[in-house]
Amino acid sequence: SQTIHQWPATLVQPVGSPLSLECTVEGTSNPNLYWYRQAAGRGLQLLFYSVGIGQISSEVPQNLSASRPQDRQFILSSKKLLLSDSGFYLCAWSITGYYEQYFGPGTRLTVT
Amino acid sequence: SQQGEEDPQALSIQEGENATMNCSYKTSINNLQWYRQNSGRGLVHLILIRSNEREKHSGRLRVTLDTSKKSSSLLITASRAADTASYFCATDSTTDSWGKLQFGAGTQVVVTP
């Protein structure tokens, strides 16, 4: 069966520090991968999605970036965090041809 | 901007009662999905209804879709305390790239024993 992992689970970082969040999927090949951010009490905002290695589409211009160095690995990065980057970051995957998305447990990021 | 908007924002019911929440959206869609999120956790896919379907059932869940009104409803029958969660609708617009979902702000449901 397929599983999706995210780490770390929680993170507290000062403003201006770098960020690296990792997401990996097991049990499937060539998944579509997504990064979302969720503000408190709000819906999900799509940040990046990828349909293959090295193929990244950005939805929101900001100081975040994403990379997909391996088929089932998706990384969210920032060189310098802002206070507004605080939130709950969710990674998800889907199979090409299917609309359902499967989410990881999320990373709670607090920028201080 | 969010494509789907859920109503109500919050719902409090007793165990055994039914819970109904609605979702409205703005553009033409291929399908509409409902997800559940327990506090501090990831989202869990509940059900998908295609644009050419009007009603779908899955266990205690019943989803309807009215494309003429651009709205959907999710009914949870005989609710249980374990149904306490936030529920989100997500739409796949015909004008967007494949696979991109637009999520609403969610309905927070509290089921008390």
Side-chain angles (χ1 to χ4, degrees), chain A residues 21-88:
Chain A
L21 303 181
E22 189 165 342
C23 169
T24 59
V25 180
E26 296 177 355
T28 188
S29 296
N30 196 31
N32 301 305
L33 297 171
Y34 310 84
W35 276 113
Y36 292 90
R37 179 169 60 202
Q38 184 179 31
R42 301 294 301 275
L44 276 67
Q45 178 187 35
L46 179 64
L47 301 176
F48 301 94
Y49 69 98
S50 171
V51 298
I53 295 175
Q55 299 179 59
I56 310 290
S57 295
S58 173
E59 288 299 298
V60 183
Q62 56 203 335
N63 67 321
L64 299 173
S65 62
S67 62
R68 185 171 178 173
Q70 300 181 44
D71 180 44
R72 292 170 289 175
Q73 184 184 31
F74 206 22
I75 296 173
L76 183 69
S77 303
S78 174
K79 292 181 179 178
K80 288 185 177 182
L81 284 168
L82 307 173
L83 285 173
S84 57
D85 291 323
S86 293
F88 192 49

Side-chain angles (χ1 to χ4, degrees), chain B residues 62-78:
Chain B
R62 172 178 170 257
V63 170
T64 62
L65 179 64
D66 187 334
T67 53
S68 66
K69 295 181 180 178
K70 291 186 169 59
S71 68
S72 172
S73 68
L74 171 66
L75 168 67
I76 305 173
T77 60

Side-chain angles (χ1 to χ4, degrees), chain B residues 42-55:
Chain B
L43 277 70
V44 175
H45 179 264
L46 295 176
I47 195 166
L48 178 150
I49 186 165
R50 301 187 188 282
S51 60
N52 61 354
E53 296 176 311
R54 292 297 167 257
E55 186 171 313

